[in-house]
Amino acid sequence: MSLQVDLLECIRKWTRPGWRSSFVTRFVYVLLRIVRPRKGVALENMKIAFPRSSPWWRRKNLSRVYLHFSSILSEYLVVQNGPEQVVEWFKETRGMELLERQREEGKGAVLLMSHFGNWELMAAFLAQKGFPIYGIIQNPGDPGLAALIEKYRKNIGGKPIPKQFMLRDPVKRLREGNMVVVAGDQNWGGRGALRVPFFGRECGTASGPAGFSLIADVPLVPTVAFRTGSFSYSLEIGPVIEKPEEGTRDEKIMKMTIAACRWNESIIERAPEQWLWMHRRWRN
């Protein structure tokens, strides 16, 4: 095992809600403030998304972003020691009836995810509620770290779909009546990439969420966990991104992907400190 893996496991075993998780959050936050990973990328992304914002606001928001992701790490390690406790952290839920209706009818759904709030806890919550959750993942280059992350995800109820199988497995799982979580907010330059405006500037966007929805004939359901405090979240599910009645499949996918980007914009505008600004969203 690598030093990074050993360190994460030690912290995981030690961390509990309360002063220990607060200590981990503050410690990681201080490290991030010192190292400032991808500071330039994040600030430039904020300038693209919020062109009228001041340099002071962008620097202040980056600090809040670092704090938010420090909290995410702390909470994610805590939940590994008792996945059932995640249910208590979601103080409010909206739209659960959409997924419950799909489950009752034995049908699946594509859950449109953004790297916003705490997407890992969102999946853990739904898994604890009895929904069969699959997620398309891209493992890190470190084999030891990749194995640990896969172990963590399985521990909280998730079933990973490796990226190399993403053209086949998602549709199969959806037709079996499962929920498949797919991210729609990151840069995509591979097969199925679409040029779609995001905050007014075109960038490579995955057609997968809309494509899987159409091929498997299941709804595309935006799903997000808003942070409302320490170990406190609000889950919002839907409304469903409607399938166009007219047009070719490619035209329908394009319209649904544009609608998905609009949804991503709307949640980021509500709480810009909760999105992963360090990702090179507009790199193409």
Side-chain angles (χ1 to χ4, degrees):
M1 296 180 74
S2 67
L3 179 60
Q4 189 177 14
V5 170
D6 290 338
L7 180 59
L8 280 173
E9 275 291 82
C10 287
I11 297 173
R12 190 266 304 170
K13 293 175 182 177
W14 179 80
T15 307
R16 298 288 187 276
W19 71 267
R20 293 189 184 191
S21 62
S22 295
F23 176 83
V24 171
T25 297
R26 300 306 299 186
F27 180 74
V28 174
Y29 174 60
V30 169
L31 287 180
L32 291 178
R33 287 295 304 273
I34 294 172
V35 178
R36 295 183 295 182
R38 294 199 173 185
K39 174 187 176 183
V41 172
L43 293 176
E44 180 60 25
N45 285 346
M46 291 178 204
K47 188 175 181 180
I48 293 171
F50 298 100
R52 296 183 180 180
S53 64
S54 68
W56 176 87
W57 180 89
R58 295 192 289 270
R59 290 192 299 270
K60 184 68 175 178
N61 191 57
L62 180 58
S63 178
R64 296 186 181 120
V65 169
Y66 287 155
L67 179 58
H68 171 69
F69 282 92
S70 299
S71 299
I72 281 182
L73 176 60
S74 175
E75 292 166 349
Y76 190 56
L77 294 176
V78 167
V79 81
Q80 297 301 323
N81 299 318
E84 68 284 349
Q85 62 190 313
V86 74
V87 175
E88 300 175 359
W89 302 347
F90 281 77
K91 312 301 183 184
E92 182 181 13
T93 61
R94 299 177 187 172
M96 285 286 287
E97 63 276 4
L98 289 172
L99 302 188
E100 289 168 351
R101 183 167 57 249
Q102 290 297 111
R103 179 170 60 183
E104 290 170 2
E105 296 177 358
K107 298 178 181 179
V110 176
L111 304 187
L112 177 64
M113 182 208 85
S114 177
H115 290 83
F116 178 98
N118 198 324
W119 57 94
E120 297 282 4
L121 292 189
M122 175 197 77
F125 173 81
L126 292 174
Q128 287 297 312
K129 287 294 185 178
F131 293 97
I133 299 294
Y134 284 81
I136 298 174
I137 64 167
Q138 182 174 13
N139 286 322
D142 183 334
L145 184 58
L148 181 65
I149 292 174
E150 183 173 348
K151 173 186 172 183
Y152 283 174
R153 283 176 169 151
K154 289 181 177 178
N155 183 47
I156 59 177
K159 302 175 181 67
I161 297 176
K163 196 171 183 180
Q164 62 265 34
F165 301 124
M166 69 173 295
L167 296 180
R168 179 196 65 193
D169 281 13
V171 172
K172 177 183 177 182
R173 299 304 180 189
L174 289 165
R175 286 173 173 167
E176 293 171 347
N178 300 290
M179 309 295 168
V180 176
V181 181
V182 188
D185 64 328
Q186 292 194 310
N187 182 78
W188 187 259
R191 185 176 178 180
L194 300 175
R195 300 296 296 178
V196 175
F198 189 59
F199 282 107
R201 181 179 293 191
E202 283 193 353
C203 51
T205 304
S207 62
F212 297 145
S213 171
L214 287 171
I215 295 171
D217 192 23
V218 297
L220 178 57
V221 186
T223 311
V224 63
F226 279 92
R227 174 185 296 283
T228 55
S230 178
F231 293 95
S232 178
Y233 286 89
S234 172
L235 178 67
E236 295 187 12
I237 299 171
V240 172
I241 292 178
E242 298 295 337
K243 300 173 185 176
E245 295 182 359
E246 298 181 353
T248 65
R249 177 182 288 178
D250 287 345
E251 290 170 343
K252 292 178 180 179
I253 289 175
M254 174 62 82
K255 291 178 180 179
M256 293 174 70
T257 302
I258 291 173
C261 283
R262 298 294 83 78
W263 170 76
N264 269 300
E265 291 174 353
S266 70
I267 62 172
I268 292 169
E269 288 170 344
R270 286 170 60 183
E273 73 281 359
Q274 295 191 34
W275 192 56
L276 185 64
W277 291 99
M278 291 79 77
H279 172 69
R280 299 180 188 274
R281 182 67 177 97
W282 290 274
R283 68 173 162 223
N284 289 337

